[in-house]
Amino acid sequence: MELKQLRQKSADELKAHLVELHKESFALRMQKATGQLAKTHEPRRVKREIARVNMLLGEKK
């Protein structure tokens, strides 16, 4: 999701999105551990998006 779209969300929506991102990150780590990860760039994308959401939550405080 782009930063512009994330900025339009409320703090509660960002927290919910963060939970989903953490679940996705866990699933990708498990896929990597079992050798089933096809798109090797996905963990990096999710990690960066988690950082973006955390940054925005800090700004909204």
Side-chain angles (χ1 to χ4, degrees):
M1 190 172 291
E2 290 189 18
L3 192 57
K4 289 179 184 179
Q5 295 170 338
L6 288 173
R7 284 191 190 275
Q8 295 172 353
K9 291 189 174 193
S10 69
D12 290 334
E13 291 173 328
L14 286 173
K15 288 178 185 176
H17 187 59
L18 189 61
V19 169
E20 292 300 317
L21 287 171
H22 280 292
K23 288 179 184 178
E24 185 178 353
S25 176
F26 177 76
L28 290 170
R29 282 197 318 257
M30 291 301 109
Q31 287 178 10
K32 182 178 180 184
T34 58
Q36 298 174 348
L37 184 62
K39 297 179 181 177
T40 57
H41 65 280
E42 286 297 312
R44 185 176 184 187
R45 180 194 60 80
V46 171
K47 189 175 178 181
R48 286 181 176 183
E49 192 162 343
I50 288 172
R52 284 187 190 109
V53 170
N54 282 329
M55 177 195 66
L56 290 172
L57 283 172
E59 285 180 358
K60 293 198 184 263
K61 282 187 178 180

